[in-house]
Amino acid sequence: GIAFIECRADDFNRWALVSQPTRSSEARSIGTYTAGCLSGAAALPLNGAGYQVMRLSRKRYYGHPDLIRFIEHLGQSVADRHLGVLFIGDLAQPRGGPTLTGHRSHQTGLDVDIWFLLSQQAESRLLAFNERESWNAPSVLLDHSDTIDVRQWSKANEKILEIAAVMPEVDRIFVNPSIKRHLCRNHRSQNWVKKKRPRRKHDDHF
């Protein structure tokens, strides 16, 4: 077995400095989402049908091959339905482990952040490197209140959440409590809503 201890600052630095996955004939996610690592990771292509990867400088676009296939499948489904282009945030580092900023999770290559932002620009072109670094995901709540901002939220967002939730490999999807409330109100009888878990700060991504 593997025992994990509390990480010091230099431990975080070492994980972040690793530039390549381990070579392994079989990918393995080791430990837990908040205390783990990843062997035999695959890199998500930076552009694909229905998606573009953001924040390339972080090099957090590695994951278990099952996660990579899921993202590509979700992107293709979104493209086929003309729902927009997904902006993919963090997956994991090349060998997983704790990150310097942003997360306690994302350590085993089994979770991914996807922005709610659906940009018309991204539907017609690939974003430049500096755009992927500087663009931010806006909150879908009005002035960070409990009210959905209709300028940032659409039926396309709800359909994307449904498509993701009905995929059998998905265990749970974190969304802001206000978004969960909105989905329950509008899709009460649909089982996929049960996979949505209310989680603070998830007002700009799921």
Side-chain angles (χ1 to χ4, degrees):
I2 298 176
F4 293 93
I5 62 174
E6 184 177 355
C7 289
R8 301 182 301 272
D10 56 339
D11 295 322
F12 286 73
N13 285 324
R14 282 198 290 267
W15 285 104
L17 289 173
V18 175
S19 61
Q20 296 294 326
T22 57
R23 293 183 179 180
S24 174
S25 59
E26 181 181 359
R28 291 191 301 144
S29 295
I30 303 164
T32 67
Y33 292 99
T34 58
C37 58
L38 175 63
S39 174
L44 176 68
L46 302 183
N47 306 294
Y51 77 86
Q52 297 187 38
V53 178
M54 306 297 281
R55 301 294 190 268
L56 303 182
S57 64
R58 293 181 177 178
K59 293 183 171 58
R60 298 179 188 172
Y61 41 77
Y62 293 86
H64 190 285
D66 288 347
L67 177 64
I68 303 302
R69 284 190 288 269
F70 161 75
I71 295 170
E72 292 178 324
H73 183 192
L74 178 63
Q76 186 66 65
S77 297
V78 168
D80 290 345
R81 292 167 173 80
H82 306 288
L83 296 173
V85 173
L86 301 175
F87 287 151
I88 306 299
D90 286 352
L91 284 71
Q93 298 171 136
R95 299 186 187 182
T99 61
L100 285 170
T101 59
H103 299 288
R104 290 184 63 247
S105 57
H106 291 260
Q107 296 194 29
T108 60
L110 294 176
D111 44 351
V112 56
D113 286 344
I114 302 177
W115 296 11
F116 285 125
L117 177 64
L118 297 173
S119 166
Q120 291 185 342
Q121 291 188 54
E123 294 184 46
S124 59
R125 66 178 177 87
L126 296 178
L127 299 188
F129 178 87
N130 66 315
E131 291 174 311
R132 300 186 195 217
E133 294 294 306
S134 61
W135 282 24
N136 291 313
S139 173
V140 298
L141 302 182
L142 191 62
D143 297 325
H144 295 277
S145 66
D146 292 332
T147 304
I148 298 291
D149 187 347
V150 295
R151 296 170 300 177
Q152 303 293 344
W153 185 262
S154 69
K155 291 293 184 182
N157 293 113
E158 296 181 24
K159 189 63 180 177
I160 290 167
L161 287 172
E162 178 184 355
I163 294 169
V166 298
M167 293 183 179
E169 62 267 43
V170 173
D171 180 64
R172 56 193 178 275
I173 298 176
F174 294 125
V175 296
N176 182 273
S178 296
I179 297 172
K180 170 71 173 183
R181 188 182 308 114
H182 174 83
L183 296 173
C184 288
R185 185 182 303 124
N186 291 281
H187 305 279
R188 183 172 307 179
S189 62
Q190 299 182 40
N191 285 332
W192 61 266
V193 177
K194 296 178 182 178
K195 284 190 179 180
K196 303 296 183 291
R197 307 293 174 81
R199 180 63 64 90
R200 189 172 58 89
K201 294 185 177 180
H202 285 69
D203 61 322
D204 57 8
H205 72 281
F206 65 95

